[in-house]
Amino acid sequence: CVDRDNDIGEKAGLETPIIGREALLSAATKLALADSEESDINAIFEAVRIYERLNASEEDAEVEVVLIAGDKIVGVESDRRIGQRLDEVLSKFEAKSAILVSDGAEDEWIIPIIQSRVRIDSVRRVVVKQSEPLENTFYVFKRLLEDPKFSHTFLPPIGLIMFLLAVSLPVSY
C-alpha cells in the first residue's frame, strides 16, 4: 500500500514502512481517528483484505502486507523516499512480486519506481465510489493547469470571458 503524500505520517504521526497485518490495522485506526475522511484509510484496509485473501488461498506462498509513504510535498522528494522505504522492505523480505494498492491516480505515478525493484502483478486503486469521477477529474484538471502550454494558451481567454461577463452583469443596489 502506497501513501505518496505521507498522510499517515502527517496526520497520524507514524513512520513507514509499516509491516504486518496488525500494524497496518493499527495504523489505519490511528489515521481514521486523526481524519475520518482520509481516503488512505480505505487503501490500507484493502491491502489487508488482499493480504488475508492471498494467505488463505495460497498455502505455500509467503505473503506480507506493507505500507510505504513518501513526503507531504509530492514530487521528486516524495518519490525518492518511497524508493528508499521500498529498498528497506526488500532488504528484509525477498519479494518476487508485489500488488500495488493505492487511493487514487496520483499514487500510481510511482509504479516505475516499484517496477525498477520488483515485479508488479496487479494494481488496485481504491477510491470511495462517490468521489472517483470527481477525484479523477481533479487530477486531470490539475495536470492541465501544470502544463505551461495549456495554461498560457487557454486560461487567459477564459479569464477574459469571465471578466467581461462579470462586468456586463447589471448591478442592483
Side-chain angles (χ1 to χ4, degrees), residues 23-153:
L24 259 72
L25 290 175
S26 175
T29 303
K30 286 181 182 177
L31 183 56
L33 291 172
D35 183 359
S36 61
E37 295 178 350
E38 178 56 55
S39 60
D40 286 308
I41 299 164
N42 295 314
I44 296 169
F45 281 121
E46 176 63 8
V48 171
R49 188 183 73 81
I50 291 170
Y51 165 79
E52 288 175 345
R53 191 180 74 225
L54 290 173
N55 250 351
S57 66
E58 300 180 19
E59 295 173 17
D60 294 340
E62 291 184 38
V63 182
E64 191 56 82
V65 62
V66 178
L67 172 61
I68 297 173
D71 189 78
K72 70 179 177 179
I73 303 171
V74 175
V76 175
E77 182 59 34
S78 177
D79 296 348
R80 283 183 179 162
R81 189 166 289 170
I82 287 171
Q84 292 167 349
R85 301 293 197 277
L86 182 57
D87 290 339
E88 286 178 42
V89 170
L90 292 174
S91 70
K92 296 176 184 176
F93 303 101
E94 199 170 308
K96 295 178 183 162
S97 65
I99 296 172
L100 174 64
V101 180
S102 74
D103 69 336
E106 185 172 277
D107 287 343
E108 292 172 19
W109 280 87
I110 54 90
I111 288 175
I113 296 167
I114 296 172
Q115 283 179 324
S116 70
R117 292 160 171 87
V118 66
R119 184 181 79 233
I120 296 178
D121 285 345
S122 179
V123 175
R124 175 73 170 104
R125 183 190 306 175
V126 180
V127 180
V128 176
K129 287 180 174 51
Q130 293 86 351
S131 70
E132 184 173 6
L134 180 62
E135 184 173 349
N136 288 338
T137 302
F138 169 75
Y139 286 115
V140 168
F141 189 66
K142 180 179 174 191
R143 296 221 192 301
L144 285 174
L145 289 177
E146 290 172 349
D147 180 14
K149 185 177 179 183
F150 175 83
S151 62
H152 288 67
T153 304

